[in-house]
Amino acid sequence: MRAPLLLYPLLLLLLFVTSAYSWKKEEFRNCDQTPFCKRARSRKPGSCNLRVADVSISDGDLIAKLVPKEENPESEQPNKPLVLTLSVYQDGVMRVKIDEDQNLNPPKKRFEVPEVIEEDFLNTKLWLTRVKEEQIDGVSSFSSVFYLSDGYEGVLRHDPFEVFARESGSGKRVLSINSNGLFDFEQLREKKEGDDWEEKFRSHTDTRPYGPQSISFDVSFYGADFVYGIPEHATSFALKPTKGPNVEEYSEPYRLFNLDVFEYLHESPFGLYGSIPFMISHGKARGSSGFFWLNAAEMQIDVLGSGWNSDESSKIMLPSDKHRIDTLWMSESGVVDTFFFIGPGPKDVVRQYTSVTGRPSMPQLFATAYHQCRWNYRDEEDVYNVDSKFDEHDIPYDVLWLDIEHTDGKKYFTWDRVLFPNPEEMQKKLAAKGRHMVTIVDPHIKRDESYHIPKEALEKGYYVKDATGKDYDGWCWPGSSSYTDLLNPEIKSWWSDKFSLDSYVGSTKYLYIWNDMNEPSVFNGPEVTMPRDALHHGGVEHRELHNSYGYYFHMGTSDGLLKRGDGKDRPFVLARAFFAGSQRYGAIWTGDNTAEWEHLRVSVPMVLTLSISGIVFSGADVGGFFGNPDTELLVRWYQVGAYYPFFRGHAHHDTKRREPWLFGERNTQLMREAIHVRYMYLPYFYTLFREANSSGTPVARPLWMEFPGDEKSFSNDEAFMVGNGLLVQGVYTEKPKHVSVYLPGEESWYDLRSASAYNGGHTHKYEVSEDSIPSFQRAGTIIPRKDRLRRSSTQMENDPYTLVIALNSSKAAEGELYIDDGKSYEFKQGAFILKWEAYIFQMQPRLQLAVTHFPSECTVERIILLGLSPGAKTALIEPGNKKVEIELGPLFIQGNRGSVPTIRKPNVRITDDWSIQIL
């Protein structure tokens, strides 16, 4: 008689899983079904009824009131003034905050997202001491003008209300808010008898106890040809217009609302797993600028196409500028807490943005290598078999992953002791080869009081509450589950303690963590997530922090690994959901993609969008998570994936096994070579991660980040740069004979397959082969490699380097190599960077490489010279006065490709002071 009682929850869970994990458009809200979005989109230009009053300086900030121009007694909204605060920070950053006046006792304090802004940034505030008043555009209204940075000013226009940044000399605008008069701020109010604020969607009801509280405003980017950013969407890198007379495909705004989306559509503005309300513009006329809204509520953003306001032009306050892009930002709740980044270059903007939200963390070296994952490797025997097959087929890898089936009944921090009886021994055996493991820990906690984690959480009151104040109960992989409230610092600290070796029984120091489902995913929740009226620490509604829930979970997990290692070892945590600042806590992947050519194609703009938004450590599941890729697609995905910042193969449990050796000898060879490429370039990738950690400059870059004046690169998202030295063009169709490759700039590019030189500034018809994708080294760069292939990156530690020097038209090149211990924070005590400059004098040909000091026994075994003039036969190495012959050798040891001038065995240590002269 008990069997039906046991089966019922399982059948219910399967029902929810089936419902949640199939893309059905009707299961998710569109703008018309989202009242705040529909209201904001219906507003006409010039409808803002606010003006500036009572301007003053206080604590180094400009303070003002926004008051209604005219009282509207019929309006349901309070006619109370809003408080505007303008602050200026070093390096060209302006902050604009607008909130309700707390002195007027609103029903509750609006939520401001904590733990995103870096403390160091707040210490860079420039204290305003005075502002000047001036007339703008020859009208009677005055504006308050203040210093922003050298060459730039901030302007607060009084009536009509507007904020903008401009060049102080020319007066040309850079960024503005409310230039189209679309600003609207729905103030909180007490519920009265007869008020019906509930919203219904499908079978779910949102009680909305504080009523409508949305905010919307327009943002204009001047001198812009395109805008980019606001991840996460599976769409083009350059954001397409969503509203305007010529818009057809994109009738919906870009949505930012973290959701668990199964087999997401490519070419869609629909929001996916993470949200970063950061947009960057770029154009030939001015360069780049950026805008960030610190708000974790649902957001919808329109990119307004040309002529979007033509029927309302008489109401627009300022003359339209054909060289600007207008956007409309809409949020369900929160406050206005925005940041202007004036650039003017693209690297300036990402530096400015990451100064606010934090520089990307420096990963351990092993994490930058290849990861092998599947839902699920069945047991220890399966793990050992996969591990040995990589060795048998001479394919390196660094990390083996275990999905949810390794646990005891989907209870995280546990092991199924039948399938994994000796987890510590298993991890140590992999570690003996320099390898690591990752296990999954999701935010849903099985409601089972025999399990110590839910028992503690229940006793301490650590769960998110539902609208009635009871522990929220939702369905996920374990069945009935509750969700820890990591907004509370006490709970976050408790959670991080669970990763200690004593608490996480069966774990070792070689084990790292994967946070999945942290949107949060709730199979029976509205839109497969938590209800908006659920309650967090301090009475904060879930609607107010939804997009940051996964961020706090990621933070708590990373803190746990940091504690486990006594603050010495760098954590590695992969997460699916993200928010602004997630770059400080680990890597992100693009979620549950599909084994289709279109998903391979869209992975590149998705990774680029994450990269310019601070998430520099990202990648897509190689091969596609769902479905069975044909062999050609799988090979092409490995060839592109080898250049993703995060490189992992992963697959759903219903797919066929797809380890690289299962597709015949030739295809195994092709995938092996793709993975080998990644391992050869690990020194270069690691150097780029340090650059990102220092400045925010991403590892994977759009072409225009390196070539900001090249208009042909502005909308190109089929190719991307790895650092400043490599350009990669994917192959995204079956069996092509040729692909078109645009190579920007004026200098040459050297083919990594043949060493042939191609002219920059041209589109080339490139013959495609099955053994690689088009990839090139930029003339004028020096790129370090390690060509001896081992089982893992750890085993390559003491291997010698190969330096590839690609000379430009001036016969010069430069490059860097970053070296540290690959795992600790000792690098913060000093800069372990080697810089080279190579040049050949016209009168006396000579190649010189100069380096700084860092203790390393690694030597240089080859120097490859691309672009060296014919006739050079001998090199003189100093110190030692040693002459060596310049020989013709292969560009790559593996595959014996190309024939290039090579200096073999110069017998110098990489960190010594040495030089080479070409005789």
Side-chain angles (χ1 to χ4, degrees):
M1 294 296 294
R2 296 183 63 185
L5 296 176
L6 293 172
L7 285 172
Y8 176 73
L10 177 60
L11 293 173
L12 189 59
L13 175 61
L14 290 174
L15 177 64
F16 287 138
V17 171
T18 302
S19 174
Y21 281 83
S22 54
W23 171 260
K24 295 179 181 178
K25 185 177 181 180
E26 65 274 11
E27 290 185 350
F28 302 97
R29 302 205 303 184
N30 60 31
C31 182
D32 281 344
Q33 296 167 317
T34 307
F36 82 85
C37 182
K38 188 175 182 180
R39 290 194 301 273
R41 263 189 149 194
S42 68
R43 294 190 185 96
K44 302 300 182 182
S47 60
C48 177
N49 186 40
L50 297 174
R51 64 179 178 84
V52 173
D54 301 334
V55 178
S56 64
I57 299 292
S58 177
D59 292 330
D61 299 323
L62 186 155
I63 308 293
K65 297 288 182 66
L66 297 181
V67 299
K69 299 181 192 179
E70 302 173 357
E71 297 289 342
N72 183 359
E74 297 182 1
S75 173
E76 294 182 355
Q77 280 291 311
N79 289 310
K80 298 178 181 178
L82 301 170
V83 177
L84 179 146
T85 305
L86 271 163
S87 308
V88 175
Y89 297 83
Q90 293 175 11
D91 198 22
V93 179
M94 180 170 69
R95 185 179 189 180
V96 180
K97 294 188 70 176
I98 304 174
D99 195 1
E100 299 189 44
D101 190 339
Q102 299 305 305
N103 294 322
L104 300 179
N105 300 315
K108 65 172 285 190
K109 189 178 188 309
R110 286 176 172 257
F111 180 64
E112 297 184 41
V113 188
E115 299 185 274
V116 172
I117 299 176
E118 283 278 62
E119 287 295 325
D120 289 345
F121 168 76
L122 296 175
N123 294 330
T124 67
K125 189 170 88 168
L126 302 177
W127 282 59
L128 298 177
T129 57
R130 63 184 180 87
V131 296
K132 62 180 180 179
E133 303 295 320
E134 68 174 45
Q135 289 181 308
I136 299 291
D137 300 323
V139 297
S140 59
S141 174
F142 281 89
S143 297
S144 301
V145 181
F146 50 92
Y147 173 85
L148 179 52
S149 74
D150 290 347
Y152 295 91
E153 296 171 324
V155 181
L156 172 62
R157 182 176 175 137
H158 295 185
D159 187 8
F161 152 62
E162 181 190 21
V163 181
F164 58 91
R166 71 183 183 190
E167 297 177 3
S168 53
S170 66
K172 291 182 179 178
R173 295 181 175 216
V174 178
L175 277 169
S176 67
I177 284 180
N178 204 37
S179 294
N180 290 293
L182 292 172
F183 182 90
D184 186 78
F185 193 115
E186 295 179 331
Q187 298 189 38
L188 299 171
R189 59 187 193 270
E190 299 286 355
K191 192 170 187 177
K192 299 177 181 177
E193 186 176 351
D195 286 339
D196 181 12
W197 291 341
E198 290 186 347
E199 287 184 2
K200 298 182 184 295
F201 179 69
R202 294 171 66 84
S203 62
H204 302 280
T205 299
D206 177 4
T207 60
R208 294 209 311 162
Y210 297 97
Q213 50 185 290
S214 70
I215 303 170
S216 57
F217 50 81
D218 56 280
V219 178
S220 297
F221 298 84
Y222 296 81
D225 295 324
F226 294 96
V227 289
Y228 314 83
I230 58 170
E232 183 176 38
H233 307 92
T235 185
S236 60
F237 181 49
L239 296 171
K240 297 177 181 178
T242 59
K243 188 178 181 181
N246 299 318
V247 173
E248 295 179 2
E249 182 180 2
Y250 283 92
S251 59
E252 283 290 306
Y254 291 99
R255 190 184 191 193
L256 294 182
F257 192 63
N258 295 5
L259 290 173
D260 180 358
V261 185
F262 168 90
E263 290 184 294
Y264 52 78
L265 302 177
H266 69 281
E267 284 303 311
S268 170
F270 187 82
L272 299 179
Y273 309 96
S275 300
I276 300 179
F278 168 70
M279 186 177 285
I280 182 171
S281 74
H282 188 71
K284 188 172 184 180
R286 193 208 163 257
S288 299
S289 62
F291 180 82
F292 169 52
W293 185 4
L294 179 54
N295 188 325
E298 179 184 357
M299 201 175 290
Q300 304 264 4
I301 301 172
D302 268 320
V303 176
L304 303 172
S306 176
W308 70 274
N309 54 10
S310 57
D311 60 334
E312 299 288 337
S313 59
S314 61
K315 296 184 180 181
I316 298 176
M317 299 177 291
L318 298 173
S320 179
D321 184 341
K322 66 179 180 180
H323 296 296
R324 85 180 188 204
I325 294 178
D326 295 325
T327 58
L328 176 62
W329 298 61
M330 305 162 273
S331 180
E332 183 180 13
S333 63
V335 300
V336 176
D337 191 358
T338 62
F339 297 80
F340 288 36
F341 308 109
I342 60 175
K347 293 181 183 178
D348 297 320
V349 173
V350 295
R351 184 189 67 250
Q352 292 157 359
Y353 168 72
T354 57
S355 73
V356 174
T357 62
R359 303 287 192 228
S361 61
M362 184 66 192
Q364 291 199 42
L365 176 61
F366 82 82
T368 68
Y370 177 63
H371 301 244
Q372 181 64 37
C373 185
R374 179 176 177 80
W375 179 19
N376 202 86
Y377 288 118
R378 296 182 300 270
D379 50 29
E380 287 183 9
E381 182 181 358
D382 198 7
V383 167
Y384 290 137
N385 180 61
V386 170
D387 177 68
S388 65
K389 286 291 185 181
F390 271 96
D391 295 339
E392 178 183 332
H393 292 277
D394 193 27
I395 302 174
Y397 86 98
D398 268 66
V399 192
L400 195 65
W401 293 53
L402 296 178
D403 212 315
I404 54 177
E405 311 303 335
H406 83 278
T407 63
D408 177 12
K410 311 295 191 302
K411 292 180 288 190
Y412 302 110
F413 303 100
T414 69
W415 301 83
D416 184 326
R417 291 290 178 164
V418 174
L419 301 177
F420 296 91
N422 302 295
E424 298 100 325
E425 180 182 352
M426 175 178 64
Q427 294 161 54
K428 290 175 181 177
K429 284 185 176 179
L430 295 187
K433 300 178 181 180
R435 291 168 176 159
H436 300 77
M437 292 201 79
V438 166
T439 54
I440 195 166
V441 177
D442 291 348
H444 47 266
I445 304 298
K446 186 173 185 177
R447 293 172 67 95
D448 178 353
E449 290 188 43
S450 66
Y451 168 31
H452 71 283
I453 290 181
K455 184 178 180 180
E456 284 183 46
L458 185 64
E459 291 173 352
K460 295 175 181 289
Y462 281 174
Y463 287 136
V464 176
K465 311 301 180 186
D466 64 22
T468 69
K470 298 178 181 178
D471 288 342
Y472 175 67
D473 184 353
W475 281 76
C476 208
W477 297 125
S480 179
S481 304
S482 288
Y483 296 73
T484 50
D485 182 8
L486 269 63
L487 177 64
N488 186 333
E490 177 186 329
I491 301 174
K492 194 185 303 126
S493 178
W494 169 84
W495 176 257
S496 67
D497 289 340
K498 300 306 167 191
F499 294 92
S500 71
L501 298 181
D502 291 335
S503 181
Y504 189 174
V505 177
S507 67
T508 70
K509 65 180 182 180
Y510 309 110
L511 183 71
Y512 294 86
I513 301 299
W514 172 18
N515 289 161
D516 198 358
M517 317 295 283
N518 58 325
E519 292 74 28
S521 177
V522 184
F523 293 158
N524 63 332
E527 299 191 273
V528 202
T529 193
M530 192 175 286
R532 296 166 192 249
D533 55 5
L535 296 173
H536 293 261
H537 173 64
V540 176
E541 288 189 283
H542 186 72
R543 79 181 76 252
E544 300 175 276
L545 63 73
H546 172 82
N547 287 342
S548 62
Y549 181 88
Y551 168 73
Y552 295 121
F553 192 73
H554 197 181
M555 181 193 302
T557 303
S558 178
D559 288 349
L561 294 186
L562 196 60
K563 283 184 181 181
R564 184 188 75 179
D566 295 325
K568 297 177 181 178
D569 290 336
R570 305 173 216 160
F572 172 74
V573 184
L574 177 76
R576 188 170 69 178
F578 57 86
F579 187 64
S582 288
Q583 66 268 15
R584 306 203 301 261
Y585 301 107
I588 298 294
W589 93 106
T590 62
D592 298 343
N593 57 0
T594 305
E596 298 175 355
W597 286 96
E598 292 83 359
H599 275 248
L600 167 60
R601 167 69 183 79
V602 82
S603 72
V604 171
M606 291 180 76
V607 168
L608 289 176
T609 301
L610 288 167
S611 294
I612 65 168
S613 305
I615 310 292
V616 303
F617 198 8
S618 67
D621 284 343
V622 170
F625 179 63
F626 290 107
N628 296 301
D630 62 71
T631 305
E632 183 184 2
L633 172 59
L634 183 60
V635 169
R636 291 301 189 197
W637 214 319
Y638 268 100
Q639 290 169 344
V640 173
Y643 295 98
Y644 291 155
F646 176 63
F647 183 24
R648 181 183 75 155
H650 185 36
H652 189 274
H653 64 68
D654 287 339
T655 64
K656 298 176 183 177
R657 294 289 286 256
R658 62 167 86 142
E659 287 76 22
W661 51 84
L662 297 176
F663 298 89
E665 184 176 346
R666 175 56 179 161
N667 291 306
T668 297
Q669 178 186 353
L670 294 174
M671 285 183 271
R672 178 194 300 118
E673 289 183 359
I675 295 172
H676 281 177
V677 165
R678 175 53 163 250
Y679 277 79
M680 277 195 307
Y681 283 113
L682 280 181
Y684 182 57
F685 271 90
Y686 197 63
T687 299
L688 295 175
F689 275 108
R690 177 55 175 154
E691 181 182 0
N693 173 249
S694 302
S695 67
T697 304
V699 175
R701 306 170 187 176
L703 304 189
W704 53 261
M705 185 164 279
E706 290 298 326
F707 301 91
D710 192 323
E711 292 180 88
K712 291 183 179 179
S713 72
F714 293 176
S715 59
N716 185 335
D717 58 10
E718 291 195 346
F720 60 99
M721 298 290 297
V722 178
N724 73 337
L726 296 181
L727 184 148
V728 179
Q729 166 76 52
V731 174
Y732 307 114
T733 57
E734 295 180 74
K735 298 180 174 58
K737 294 182 179 180
H738 299 87
V739 294
S740 293
V741 181
Y742 177 69
L743 298 175
E746 299 177 353
E747 293 286 351
S748 296
W749 295 82
Y750 296 95
D751 185 354
L752 296 187
R753 182 176 62 176
S754 65
S756 299
Y758 289 77
N759 292 330
H762 297 279
T763 299
H764 299 270
K765 185 177 181 182
Y766 187 93
E767 184 176 349
V768 174
S769 68
E770 67 174 3
D771 62 351
S772 65
I773 57 175
S775 46
F776 305 84
Q777 182 170 341
R778 179 183 181 180
T781 62
I782 304 174
I783 290 183
R785 299 190 328 216
K786 283 195 173 184
D787 291 355
R788 298 187 185 183
L789 301 171
R790 310 290 187 185
R791 291 176 172 180
S792 65
S793 65
T794 307
Q795 295 189 345
M796 299 167 63
E797 180 179 1
N798 296 316
D799 283 350
Y801 288 90
T802 292
L803 301 180
V804 183
I805 301 174
L807 297 170
N808 60 21
S809 57
S810 301
K811 299 303 178 184
E814 60 184 18
E816 290 185 3
L817 171 64
Y818 175 77
I819 305 173
D820 63 19
D821 63 15
K823 57 185 179 181
S824 79
Y825 286 99
E826 290 296 318
F827 72 91
K828 292 187 175 182
Q829 308 306 315
F832 307 147
I833 300 176
L834 311 176
K835 292 179 180 286
W836 299 295
E837 291 183 358
Y839 53 90
I840 297 182
F841 291 114
Q842 293 181 355
M843 299 298 293
Q844 182 181 4
R846 186 167 69 174
L847 177 68
Q848 292 187 338
L849 287 86
V851 302
T852 62
H853 291 281
F854 174 68
S856 172
E857 296 301 317
C858 293
T859 62
V860 177
E861 69 173 346
R862 288 200 306 158
I863 299 174
I864 294 172
L865 303 166
L866 302 178
L868 185 65
S869 302
K873 301 294 184 181
T874 309
L876 178 65
I877 301 173
E878 296 289 358
N881 197 31
K882 177 184 176 183
K883 288 186 178 182
V884 295
E885 296 297 318
I886 298 177
E887 306 173 3
L888 290 179
L891 184 56
F892 294 110
I893 294 176
Q894 303 293 326
N896 198 33
R897 298 179 192 159
S899 184
V900 293
T902 303
I903 301 172
R904 297 179 183 275
K905 297 182 179 180
N907 292 328
V908 293
R909 289 192 307 180
I910 191 70
T911 56
D912 285 346
D913 289 324
W914 49 278
S915 66
I916 296 176
Q917 297 180 19
I918 306 299
L919 303 179

